[in-house]
Amino acid sequence: METTGVHVLKHMNYLSETTDQKAVLHNLMEAYGNDVWNYAFTICRNTDLSDDITQDSFLKVYRNLKTFRGEASMKTWLLTITRNTAYDYLRKAFWRKVTHVGFIQSTGTSESAENEVMEKLNASDMWKNVISLPPKYREILILHAHYQLSTKEIAAVLNISEGTVKSRLHRARLKVIELKERTTLELS
């Protein structure tokens, strides 16, 4: 266990023993709420369901706060809980519809309005390609590119080996390139 993991564990234990657990949960929700919601959304692609998954994920965190061992980062632990909660929701019989939605991320300021529009279109097209991938490739790319998790952290979240992470990441990148090339050929 690395020093930072031990430090976080001691800090979390101290907080959960000496302060109100609701305050600890509130701090975690402020720090990681957007990450949890966004990750839930990448799995289920539905805003209402993402809200429910986020709420349930933080309820699980609240109930199990004292069980956090610090073997992984707090973010990794939260994303693992979120992933498991999301897949529990998706396994339920009432949830069968999947909505296809593209992401548009702001890349900051551009030199001109035309460049800004082109950047947004490119980002939108890229995210549409990522979202269209099978879940095992989509998750790998989202965790790596958006959340900037290391191979080791991704392996912990997905409960797979680091070698599998590297292999899926490579295949996912190839699939995105293939989709982009196919789209370019269709447009020409």
Side-chain angles (χ1 to χ4, degrees):
M1 193 183 312
E2 58 188 59
T3 308
T4 56
V6 172
H7 176 69
V8 169
L9 176 61
K10 287 179 181 177
H11 182 68
M12 291 305 297
N13 285 337
Y14 171 76
L15 286 176
S16 64
E17 291 170 4
T18 60
T19 63
D20 183 16
Q21 275 192 302
K22 290 179 184 177
V24 174
L25 179 64
H26 179 73
N27 290 338
L28 289 174
M29 289 174 74
E30 281 189 3
Y32 300 107
N34 287 336
D35 289 333
V36 168
W37 189 92
N38 288 333
Y39 188 47
F41 185 80
T42 63
I43 293 171
C44 70
R45 295 181 268 178
N46 179 289
T47 55
D48 294 331
L49 191 57
S50 297
D51 291 341
D52 293 342
I53 292 167
T54 300
Q55 183 177 3
D56 277 358
S57 296
F58 278 110
L59 281 172
K60 289 178 182 179
V61 167
Y62 179 74
R63 290 182 192 131
N64 298 300
L65 194 56
K66 291 185 179 187
T67 66
F68 178 67
R69 298 184 307 258
E71 293 173 358
S73 72
M74 180 59 68
K75 187 176 191 175
T76 301
W77 186 60
L78 286 167
L79 291 177
T80 301
I81 290 170
T82 303
R83 179 181 190 269
N84 293 337
T85 303
Y87 280 111
D88 287 346
Y89 268 79
L90 293 176
R91 278 192 282 276
K92 290 183 179 180
F94 75 86
W95 178 255
R96 297 287 182 235
K97 184 180 176 188
V98 176
T99 308
H100 182 77
V101 177
F103 291 123
I104 300 177
Q105 282 190 323
S106 174
T107 56
T109 58
S110 298
E111 293 178 18
S112 70
E114 181 179 299
N115 286 343
E116 187 174 333
V117 168
M118 291 306 293
E119 285 179 16
K120 285 185 178 182
L121 286 174
N122 287 336
S124 177
D125 290 344
M126 191 250 335
W127 282 114
K128 283 179 184 176
N129 288 339
V130 170
I131 292 298
S132 71
L133 293 175
K136 69 181 185 178
Y137 298 126
R138 183 175 64 234
E139 277 187 305
I140 291 284
L141 282 175
I142 297 294
L143 291 171
H144 178 73
H146 182 70
Y147 293 104
Q148 299 180 348
L149 296 183
S150 68
T151 303
K152 186 176 183 176
E153 291 172 322
I154 294 170
V157 169
L158 300 179
N159 196 26
I160 57 177
S161 72
E162 288 184 55
T164 302
V165 170
K166 291 176 185 177
S167 173
R168 286 186 187 173
L169 187 58
H170 176 72
R171 288 185 184 128
R173 287 175 177 153
L174 291 177
K175 287 185 178 290
V176 168
I177 291 169
E178 179 183 312
L179 287 170
K180 184 179 179 184
E181 289 173 354
R182 188 179 314 149
T183 303
T184 303
L185 288 175
E186 289 172 1
L187 294 176
S188 41

